[in-house]
Amino acid sequence: MTAQVKVASALLQRYVGRYELDPKFAHDFVLYVSVKDDSLWVRPGYLRARRVIGESESRFHDSEIPDLRVTFIKDEKGNVTGLTLNSETGDIRVKKMPPPVPSVTGNTTFKLAGHLDAEAVAIYGSFNNWIQTKNYCAREGDGWVCRIDLAPGKYTYRFLVDGVGLLDPTNSVTEADANGLVDSVIVIKPK
């Protein structure tokens, strides 16, 4: 086991963000990197967050899967551009995603109060094939807003707050999907 290296908090903050796996490996799969209690945490997609242990200023190993390494990649100016996941199956390069561009025009408005410390909030559902990286919300007032053009019909959806799916707290209409997961429901009526 390698000795643990204490990485400066300011440097850890530069690693925070969303990293998207090449769709050739996994469709719509995002790694969420955050800092909590002066430690770096990585959350792969829907899985729970796990602490990564510093081996150097840019290389970390997973606290639960010891042979999994995360190495951050920087450009010549020192900006973090991505990371490499290294395991016994080989290296996978993962690109850092740019800040999300919010979806602010459309006939349907979704609002989520709170979550002001979130890096990215999105709306996903049956209207976009449950793609997490398509419809981002903009920070507005004390929460988040997303507008999408939806044709008349019934849709199931969830909010995605830094990779964690949430029901719409202002909408009590829900239904279970084929897997038994409960989603919020919205019906768009014809004009």
Side-chain angles (χ1 to χ4, degrees), residues 19-30 85 92 94 132-133:
Y19 297 79
E20 186 172 26
L21 236 62
D22 185 324
K24 286 190 308 236
F25 295 111
H27 173 69
D28 195 41
F29 191 81
V30 177
L85 288 175
I92 299 175
V94 185
Q132 305 175 33
T133 52

Side-chain angles (χ1 to χ4, degrees), residues 9-103:
S9 192
L11 185 54
L12 291 179
Q13 288 298 332
R14 293 175 53 197
Y15 299 139
V16 168
R18 297 166 308 119
Y19 297 79
E20 186 172 26
L21 236 62
D22 185 324
K24 286 190 308 236
F25 295 111
H27 173 69
D28 195 41
F29 191 81
V30 177
L31 290 171
Y32 296 86
V33 176
S34 60
V35 173
K36 186 171 75 182
D37 303 327
D38 278 339
S39 294
L40 201 61
W41 291 75
V42 174
R43 190 163 41 68
Y46 296 112
L47 303 175
R48 65 182 174 73
R50 29 201 322 133
R51 186 169 167 246
V52 290
I53 315 297
E55 293 180 355
S56 73
E57 285 198 339
S58 62
R59 185 174 161 102
F60 299 80
H61 69 265
D62 190 296
S63 60
E64 295 174 26
I65 306 170
D67 71 326
L68 181 63
R69 301 277 187 281
V70 176
T71 306
F72 289 91
I73 303 164
K74 297 176 191 161
D75 64 14
E76 60 283 345
K77 295 180 186 139
N79 298 316
V80 177
T81 59
L83 59 82
T84 301
L85 288 175
N86 176 279
S87 70
E88 58 200 20
T89 57
D91 290 356
I92 299 175
R93 280 193 67 139
V94 185
K95 285 200 319 217
K96 187 169 187 180
M97 296 173 71
V101 176
S103 179

